Amino acid sequence: LGTDMIEAGNEFGTETPYGSALIRVGQSEQRLGSLEKEYIQSTNQGMILPLQSFLDGEMKNIMRERRVLENKRLDLDAAKNKVKKERKEFMQPKQMEVVDSRAALNQADEELVQCQAHFDRQVNLTQQQMEGLSHIQIDHTNHLNTLVKSQVQYYSQAHLVMQELQRDLFGVMEDDLNIKNPEAESENTSKNDMNQNPSYTVQPFPKNIEVL
């Protein structure tokens, strides 16, 4: 955009008010573009890349351990339900099934012990992964501060560029208006002379003139 404005301004002519204004605006647009590139680069390095690295690394590991923990919990619940079922059948055995009921109950108890051990071990692993998030939160808080600082710097510099542009354009427009309206400029000069020369006074219109 800035380059196109500068080219158009040169075609209209640098001596024309519109051409010079186009060039001035185009230069400001180029400065804004450079500031935006610097802002994008600093944001990418200070916030986006560290966050992406965390999501692809530590966060994936945590989510995997949590899924494994959920599966272990389901296995543990199934083992508990099986023990309840086998104990109920052992307490109310059918004829010639006492030995089989006891063996099934013992096997269910062994499976429950194993499932409980696997679940407890997975709980410890998941807790260790979650405890590692404490230092990660501190790091990402610093990354957020970097992002905010980059935004403050970008918007403040862009604001200064636009303020300078506005002042320049306002001056160009005033000069252009004075060139196109010499009578207004002469009138302003006369008013200034009146203000600077106190001996020059305006005579009031007489009130006692009779109208015929």
Side-chain angles (χ1 to χ4, degrees):
L1 177 61
T3 302
D4 291 340
M5 284 186 171
I6 293 175
E7 291 179 357
N10 289 325
E11 291 181 0
F12 276 99
T14 57
E15 70 281 356
T16 62
Y18 183 58
S20 61
L22 276 175
I23 294 174
R24 184 65 185 87
V25 175
Q27 292 172 345
S28 297
E29 292 296 333
Q30 288 181 335
R31 292 177 61 187
L32 290 177
S34 299
L35 291 175
E36 185 176 2
K37 289 181 180 179
E38 294 176 359
Y39 165 66
I40 293 174
Q41 291 177 354
S42 62
T43 301
N44 188 54
Q45 295 177 358
M47 179 65 189
I48 303 301
L49 291 180
L51 180 60
Q52 188 66 46
S53 177
F54 165 71
L55 294 177
D56 293 339
E58 292 91 340
M59 194 63 187
K60 279 188 176 181
N61 294 333
I62 292 172
M63 297 304 296
R64 182 177 62 251
E65 297 298 337
R66 291 183 65 177
R67 287 194 297 269
V68 173
L69 178 62
E70 180 65 17
N71 292 332
K72 297 298 181 183
R73 185 189 66 81
L74 294 175
D75 293 341
L76 180 61
D77 290 343
K80 289 180 179 179
N81 293 331
K82 185 176 180 180
V83 168
K84 290 180 181 179
K85 178 182 177 182
E86 296 298 339
R87 184 173 287 116
K88 183 178 180 181
E89 291 182 358
F90 177 74
M91 297 300 296
Q92 299 176 355
K94 297 179 181 180
Q95 294 180 355
M96 306 300 293
E97 292 184 358
V98 177
V99 177
D100 294 338
S101 297
R102 180 179 292 278
L105 178 58
N106 292 335
Q107 183 179 358
D109 286 335
E110 292 177 0
E111 292 177 357
L112 176 59
V113 172
Q114 293 178 358
C115 289
Q116 185 67 55
H118 293 163
F119 176 77
D120 294 339
R121 182 166 59 252
Q122 188 60 38
V123 168
N124 292 330
L125 291 175
T126 306
Q127 286 179 344
Q128 292 176 3
Q129 293 286 342
M130 296 298 294
E131 289 172 357
L133 288 178
S134 58
H135 75 86
I136 293 176
Q137 292 180 13
I138 295 175
D139 293 339
H140 283 280
T141 301
N142 294 331
H143 297 325
L144 283 175
N145 290 331
T146 301
L147 172 64
V148 172
K149 289 180 181 178
S150 297
Q151 287 182 331
V152 170
Q153 182 178 3
Y154 166 67
Y155 286 113
S156 62
Q157 290 178 346
H159 182 63
L160 291 176
V161 170
M162 297 309 296
Q163 280 186 322
E164 181 181 351
L165 173 62
Q166 187 179 29
R167 287 194 299 267
D168 292 347
L169 286 183
F170 184 73
V172 171
M173 291 175 63
E174 278 194 331
D175 294 340
D176 185 33
L177 289 175
N178 290 333
I179 293 174
K180 292 182 177 180
N181 297 281
E183 295 181 358
E185 183 178 3
S186 176
E187 183 179 353
N188 292 333
T189 303
S190 300
K191 290 182 180 180
N192 292 332
D193 293 339
M194 291 171 59
N195 293 332
Q196 294 176 1
N197 187 6
S199 61
Y200 182 82
T201 58
V202 178
Q203 297 296 329
F205 189 81
K207 298 181 179 179
N208 56 354
I209 295 179
E210 295 181 359
V211 179
L212 297 179

